[in-house]
Amino acid sequence: MQEQENPVENTNPVEAIVADVEIMADVLEVSKDTLAQLEAKVLELQDAFMRAKAEGENIRRRAQEDISKAHKFAIESFAEAMVPVKDSLEMALKVETPSLESIKEGVEMTLKQLISAFEKNRLIEINPTQGEKLDPSKHQAVSMVPAEQDANTVVVVLQKGYTIADRLLRPALVTVAQAK
């Protein structure tokens, strides 16, 4: 049998070291390229992060400004609707010698303006009818009285209530029927 030559045995030790150094240089060169690519990616991600953070801060700041403006001007449309009511009342006070009829007519017109302002701004009146079941979410019973109707039903409305945009502003004050 012929013996195979071992390539390492036939290689000059200096040549082997040079080959190893060349391999290490190639690996090192690949590592430098990879490192440069990773550094570029880190810078890109850092820039994207800073931009996203700045955008988030801008959105938060704009939202706070919008909320502030909404609080500041929330009553603006209601105020616009109330100005004609005030004008009508002032005009009524300027009349030198008002008659009972003109005062009544002026009050009725002013009340219509006020009702219109309420409707326009979703301020809804709660005025339960006699015999209507007591609704604790809209009515406040101030007393119970004997009556010829079912227990816990409205007998008399003492004061109307109001809701604004489906939220209770003031409950209607009512007296209710006692249990028999």
Side-chain angles (χ1 to χ4, degrees):
M1 270 191 150
Q2 269 190 344
E3 241 182 66
Q4 281 189 322
E5 288 183 25
N6 186 348
V8 175
E9 287 178 8
N10 292 337
T11 308
N12 179 344
V14 173
E15 289 176 358
I17 291 173
V18 168
D20 286 345
V21 168
E22 286 175 354
I23 290 172
M24 283 189 210
D26 288 345
V27 168
L28 189 59
E29 193 62 37
V30 168
S31 295
K32 284 182 183 177
D33 289 346
T34 303
L35 183 62
Q37 289 173 354
L38 290 175
E39 286 174 344
K41 187 67 174 175
V42 165
L43 289 174
E44 180 184 325
L45 291 173
Q46 190 175 25
D47 182 59
F49 169 76
M50 294 305 285
R51 289 177 188 275
K53 183 178 176 185
E55 182 64 23
E57 286 295 315
N58 288 339
I59 290 170
R60 184 189 58 75
R61 181 184 46 78
R62 275 181 286 198
Q64 284 179 334
E65 288 173 2
D66 289 347
I67 290 169
S68 175
K69 286 179 184 176
H71 286 300
K72 187 175 181 181
F73 299 110
I75 197 164
E76 184 176 14
S77 70
F78 186 67
E80 285 175 352
M82 293 303 295
V83 169
V85 175
K86 182 180 183 285
D87 291 343
S88 294
L89 291 171
E90 287 173 343
M91 284 176 31
L93 292 174
K94 286 182 182 178
V95 175
E96 293 286 326
T97 54
S99 68
L100 188 56
E101 277 299 310
S102 68
I103 290 176
K104 184 177 182 200
E105 186 179 318
V107 169
E108 287 172 349
M109 287 178 19
T110 304
L111 181 59
K112 285 179 185 177
Q113 287 177 320
L114 186 61
I115 290 169
S116 173
F118 281 10
E119 288 173 353
K120 186 177 186 181
N121 289 280
R122 300 186 312 162
L123 185 59
I124 308 299
E125 188 177 274
I126 301 172
N127 190 13
T129 58
Q130 184 177 6
E132 187 176 322
K133 185 92 172 127
L134 178 72
D135 182 352
S137 66
K138 294 189 222 172
H139 311 142
Q140 181 178 347
V142 293
S143 65
M144 295 185 92
V145 295
E148 294 297 320
Q149 58 191 54
D150 294 337
N152 292 324
T153 57
V154 175
V155 176
V156 176
V157 177
L158 304 172
Q159 185 179 58
K160 296 175 187 176
Y162 293 91
T163 60
I164 186 164
D166 299 325
R167 184 175 177 184
L168 185 66
L169 184 63
R170 179 179 83 188
L173 300 180
V174 297
T175 60
V176 295
Q178 284 181 327
K180 296 177 187 173

